Amino acid sequence: MLGAAIAWFVDVPQRVISAVMSFGAGVLISALSFELMDEAWRHGGLAATSAGFLGGALLFTVANALLARHGAKHRKRSGPGRQPTPGHAGTGAAIAIAALIDGVPESIVIGLSLLDGGAVSHVAVAAIFLSNVPEGLSSAAGMRHAGRSATYVFGVWGGIALASGAAAWLGYAAFRDVSPEAVAATTAVAGGAILAMLADTMIPEAYENAHDAAGLITVLGFLASFVLTKLSG
């Protein structure tokens, strides 16, 4: 919702967006290492974690390929040349659908984090937030260029936000009584999907505009997430 609002009202320089993406990529790498994979391994063992991790990467790769055919290839981008073609409303909608597909497993992880100690993972929330702002930017800009109204754009993104919230609740409610292996596999699915998304979209697209600073900003994001993980632990 925030990304969509920014795109609707403000012309944000692409280098700033790329810097946010680089920082978010570093946060996500740290989060999936320490918040997802390590936790999944400790609770469910190596077999369930590995199977879920590979399954998540495979699911994302297949979904990403299908979405790319319908105009959502550059859904993490929002700079010149990366926007949906003006007048092509379907591409902006495809980006929104892609954001929903990305957001549901991420939100389930937020719900799963409540199972261990009853407190939501602030690191996971921060990482998911930073990774999804560019999607809101790109989709809302494309829909606006296609002539969609503010009611339509914010209605779509409001629905995605509600669906993600429901997915977070589902992650908590549906997995309270299942085996540790099932929780581990589900958590690892999100980890695999996130890592595949980073390699396929966020990191290369952030580097394209941030250039030499992208690596340093990514490291700063990783360090910030790592420090937050240790302080909150």
Side-chain angles (χ1 to χ4, degrees), residues 196-209:
M197 179 271 292
L198 285 170
D200 285 349
T201 60
M202 281 190 72
I203 292 176
E205 292 164 10
Y207 176 80
E208 187 171 315
N209 289 281

Side-chain angles (χ1 to χ4, degrees), residues 17-121:
I17 297 172
S18 295
V20 172
M21 290 175 69
S22 297
F23 190 85
V27 173
L28 278 172
I29 292 170
S30 177
L32 72 89
S33 299
F34 300 104
E35 292 283 312
L36 302 184
M37 293 301 291
D38 189 59
E39 288 294 316
W41 172 75
R42 289 196 301 109
H43 287 89
L46 188 59
T49 300
S50 299
F53 190 65
L54 292 173
L58 179 61
L59 287 172
F60 174 85
T61 300
V62 172
N64 196 46
L66 293 174
L67 289 165
R69 296 180 183 178
H70 292 84
K73 181 178 181 180
H74 301 300
R75 63 185 180 276
K76 294 292 184 180
R77 304 186 184 190
S78 52
R82 310 305 180 198
Q83 299 296 348
T85 304
H88 187 185
T91 304
I95 295 173
I97 294 170
L100 181 62
I101 292 174
D102 291 345
V104 166
E106 293 170 343
S107 299
I108 288 175
V109 166
I110 294 176
L112 289 175
S113 70
L114 288 166
L115 297 176
D116 188 16
V120 70
S121 170

Side-chain angles (χ1 to χ4, degrees), residues 172-233:
Y172 174 73
F175 288 89
R176 282 185 295 180
D177 300 320
V178 302
S179 68
E181 289 79 11
V183 173
T186 304
T187 302
V189 164
I194 289 171
L195 186 57
M197 179 271 292
L198 285 170
D200 285 349
T201 60
M202 281 190 72
I203 292 176
E205 292 164 10
Y207 176 80
E208 187 171 315
N209 289 281
H211 299 302
D212 295 338
L216 177 60
I217 298 172
T218 302
V219 169
L220 290 174
F222 182 95
L223 180 61
S225 177
F226 178 77
V227 171
L228 183 59
T229 299
K230 298 306 177 185
L231 291 177
S232 63

